[in-house]
Amino acid sequence: MRLNTAFLALALAITSVSAAVPHLDHAVHGVRSASGSLVDRLCGTIITPEKKAAAEKDFSLKRVLATAVAANNWPVYINVHFHVVAANTSIEGGYVPQSQVDSQIEILNKDYKNTGVQFRLDNTSRTINADWFENVNPYTSEATLMKETLRRGGPETLNVYTVSFDNGYAAGLLGYATFPSDYEDEPKDDGVVIQYGTLPSGNLYPYNLGRTLTHEVGHWVGLYHTFQGGCDPETGGDEVADTPAQAVPTRGCPTFRPDTCPEQPGFDPIHNYMDYSDDVCMRGFTPGQAARFRDQIRTYRGINV
């Protein structure tokens, strides 16, 4: 895969981040063409086999199993603080209407319907700050200040921020997230940041049906990409038994593609929320993914699910 120089720089920056357990790097998605139009999803996260092994060892030592699904324990609700950060009060400046925020929560709940987890909008904050709107990305002081100022709640609370990613090497990103195991070391950094045009009815076609938040929340609750580590049976995989091994991310909206890990059972999960297909082609999580992330959020976020 050919990466532009900006994202090579991003990859180099990520590899320099400390590999201390249980921290995992942010998940970063999206790239624009030279003309500025959004053409693809791209993840700048590099989770080496060594880092993944250390993180999984930590999880195995601390793991608290989720309770058995029962009528009186389904679903568990996670409160959401939604922070609209904008350059001005126009939609083009990121000042999205409440209707889009409400629609995004509806999509999130629809996509997580069969997992045992649902989301409840607690509050929508609105901040006019052009510097944050344009310059926030995983490695800037603007992101740190924005989160320190706006973030609410503890590890059990989902904070979502909408910005533009319009400046520097982050131009074109769709979103990024922290993992549950990050919270202990970096509690103020916890949350999900997405491009405002990815909200339902936003302007980033074909990524404007709200599935960017679905995907990023997947990381926030502890899921890897379905193509994590490629086909290597020893170090690859997303630690979920019912998502077949996958060598490379899916692009566009295929109905079928040749299996990229033919030596291992199952066809690529090309319609999974943790892959990279277009929003319209993302269709679900597997039972194994739901079981894993329930254990993750009970272990690291203290959510009794």
Side-chain angles (χ1 to χ4, degrees):
M1 181 183 300
R2 181 177 299 170
L3 298 178
N4 62 32
T5 55
F7 276 88
L8 287 175
L10 174 59
L12 290 173
I14 293 171
T15 57
S16 68
V17 175
S18 169
V21 177
H23 178 73
L24 295 175
D25 291 328
H26 297 83
V28 187
H29 305 276
V31 67
R32 291 187 189 276
S33 68
S35 66
S37 61
L38 194 65
V39 295
D40 213 349
R41 297 186 196 262
L42 177 68
C43 182
T45 302
I46 298 175
I47 301 173
T48 66
E50 294 78 15
K51 179 177 288 188
K52 180 189 171 189
E56 290 305 311
K57 180 180 180 181
D58 185 76
F59 184 38
S60 69
L61 292 173
K62 296 178 179 178
R63 190 170 197 157
V64 179
L65 295 178
T67 56
V69 174
N72 61 355
N73 195 46
W74 186 289
V76 168
Y77 282 90
I78 293 176
N79 287 332
V80 180
H81 285 267
F82 208 104
H83 308 286
V84 175
V85 177
N88 52 58
T89 57
S90 70
I91 294 179
E92 295 76 13
Y95 204 82
V96 296
Q98 187 62 38
S99 59
Q100 279 189 281
V101 176
D102 293 341
S103 293
Q104 178 66 83
I105 298 299
E106 290 177 9
I107 291 294
L108 198 61
N109 281 328
K110 177 181 177 182
D111 293 346
Y112 281 80
K113 182 178 179 180
N114 296 319
T115 70
V117 171
Q118 293 282 270
F119 301 87
R120 180 187 291 118
L121 183 63
D122 190 288
N123 181 60
T124 303
S125 72
R126 295 180 180 274
T127 303
I128 304 298
N129 189 314
D131 186 30
W132 293 355
F133 181 67
E134 295 176 359
N135 295 310
V136 161
N137 67 60
Y139 305 102
T140 62
S141 59
E142 287 85 356
T144 301
L145 182 57
M146 178 188 75
K147 289 183 175 182
E148 287 180 346
T149 303
L150 299 179
R151 195 186 182 285
R152 297 292 182 268
E156 75 290 343
T157 303
L158 173 61
N159 281 257
V160 178
Y161 309 83
T162 58
V163 298
S164 69
F165 300 126
D166 278 345
N167 194 22
Y169 67 75
L173 297 182
L174 294 187
Y176 66 93
T178 57
F179 287 80
S181 54
D182 294 336
Y183 188 86
E184 182 178 356
D185 290 340
E186 300 182 74
K188 293 182 180 179
D189 191 42
D190 186 61
V192 171
V193 185
I194 59 173
Q195 215 280 355
Y196 75 96
T198 66
L199 296 179
S201 303
N203 61 5
L204 284 187
Y205 177 85
Y207 309 113
N208 60 345
L209 299 180
R211 295 281 156 62
T212 290
L213 187 59
T214 298
H215 178 107
E216 298 300 343
V217 170
H219 293 309
W220 188 83
V221 295
L223 297 180
Y224 296 116
H225 293 123
T226 53
F227 48 86
Q228 170 68 38
C231 300
D232 189 327
E234 297 298 323
T235 61
D238 62 354
E239 301 300 320
V240 177
D242 60 0
T243 55
Q246 181 177 350
V248 294
T250 303
R251 307 296 184 183
C253 188
T255 56
F256 174 82
R257 76 172 184 183
D259 188 10
T260 60
C261 294
E263 301 301 317
Q264 298 193 51
F267 292 101
D268 291 1
I270 60 176
H271 301 301
N272 194 279
Y273 290 136
M274 300 313 295
D275 198 0
Y276 272 11
S277 55
D278 294 350
D279 274 20
V280 71
C281 289
M282 289 184 164
R283 298 176 187 168
F285 296 109
T286 67
Q289 285 176 310
R292 174 181 167 86
F293 82 61
R294 288 197 300 267
D295 288 353
Q296 280 267 324
I297 62 177
R298 187 162 192 193
T299 300
Y300 292 112
R301 297 197 178 281
I303 298 174
N304 189 22
V305 63

